[in-house]
């Protein structure tokens, strides 16, 4: 899971990322939402884009044939690699990839999962099209991110390109990428303090779409 917390220096926070209760809460919510849209199955090849320390990728590796975890942060990926080795997982491949600035490696996937990464991407439409192009026919793209918010979710806005998204725009962008059977619904509601310490309420959407 990529960064849903008000820090942008991933290299400094990577070692303690999983200790944050909010991170754990969101990881559980994303797993439940995924099960309702595209339950992982044996034989699947899965990409977790913006995988962070691998809370999603590690869980997926226990359920499918192969998982690739892609992220731009070396520190986050080092944490995931340590966990992969400790778990003895040989079906989890870890790669430093940033699709904002790099062409996609030659790959194809039955399921692409990306949670809390899109708000760090300048051109989300281009990113969704690029991810859609990595799906096999019949493959599913599954996204989770913030609904539109007032900018209070992140105390530090460095690296934050969007304060959430309109669900209608997400659906239209998925369709423009050539995807079908589009679903967009609420994934989770959470409460967290803003920079002033005031508790605020936020919602996350999940969106799924299938390559025809």
């Amino acid at each position: 899971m990529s960064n849903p917390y008000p820090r942008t220096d991933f290299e400094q926070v990577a070692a303690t990322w999983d200790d944050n209760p909010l991170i754990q809460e969101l990881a559980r919510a994303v797993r439940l939402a995924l099960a309702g849209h595209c339950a992982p199955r044996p034989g699947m090849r899965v990409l977790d884009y913006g995988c962070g320390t691998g809370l999603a990728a590690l869980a997926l590796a226990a359920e499918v044939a192969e998982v690739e975890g892609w992220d731009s942060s070396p520190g986050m990926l080092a944490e995931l690699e340590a966990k992969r080795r400790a778990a003895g997982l040989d079906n989890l491949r870890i790669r430093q990839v940033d699709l904002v600035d790099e062409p996609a490696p030659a790959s194809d996937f039955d399921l692409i999962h990306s949670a809390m990464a899109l708000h760090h991407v300048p051109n989300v439409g281009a990113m969704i099209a690029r991810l859609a192009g990595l799906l096999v026919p019949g493959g599913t793209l599954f996204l989770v991110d913030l609904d539109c918010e007032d900018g209070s979710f992140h105390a530090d806005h460095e690296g934050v390109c969007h304060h959430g998204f309109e669900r209608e725009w997400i659906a239209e962008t998925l369709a423009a990428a050539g995807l079908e059977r589009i679903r967009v619904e609420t994934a989770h509601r959470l409460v967290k303090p803003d920079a002033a310490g005031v508790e605020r309420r936020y919602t996350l959407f999940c969106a799924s779409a299938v390559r025809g």
Side-chain angles (χ1 to χ4, degrees), residues 37 143 147 165-172 174 181-187 204-209:
H37 279 246
L143 306 171
D147 284 317
F165 301 93
E166 294 284 355
R167 298 187 186 190
E168 182 177 357
W169 184 86
I170 289 291
E172 291 171 351
L174 290 167
R181 292 158 53 188
I182 297 164
R183 292 173 55 191
V184 186
E185 57 194 40
T186 298
L204 279 66
F205 69 85
C206 57
S208 63

Side-chain angles (χ1 to χ4, degrees), residues 114-177:
S114 186
M116 298 300 284
L118 289 183
H119 62 261
H120 295 290
V121 174
N123 188 336
V124 172
M127 176 63 72
I128 286 176
R130 186 166 287 186
L131 292 173
L134 295 172
L135 291 167
V136 300
T140 298
L141 176 60
F142 178 77
L143 306 171
V144 177
D145 216 297
L146 289 159
D147 284 317
C148 283
E149 49 97 11
D150 62 2
S152 61
F153 188 84
H154 295 88
D156 177 2
H157 289 174
E158 182 182 353
V160 177
C161 302
H162 311 276
H163 299 311
F165 301 93
E166 294 284 355
R167 298 187 186 190
E168 182 177 357
W169 184 86
I170 289 291
E172 291 171 351
T173 304
L174 290 167

Side-chain angles (χ1 to χ4, degrees), residues 12 31 41 201:
Q12 291 186 10
R31 284 197 294 271
R41 301 183 303 276
R201 297 180 182 275

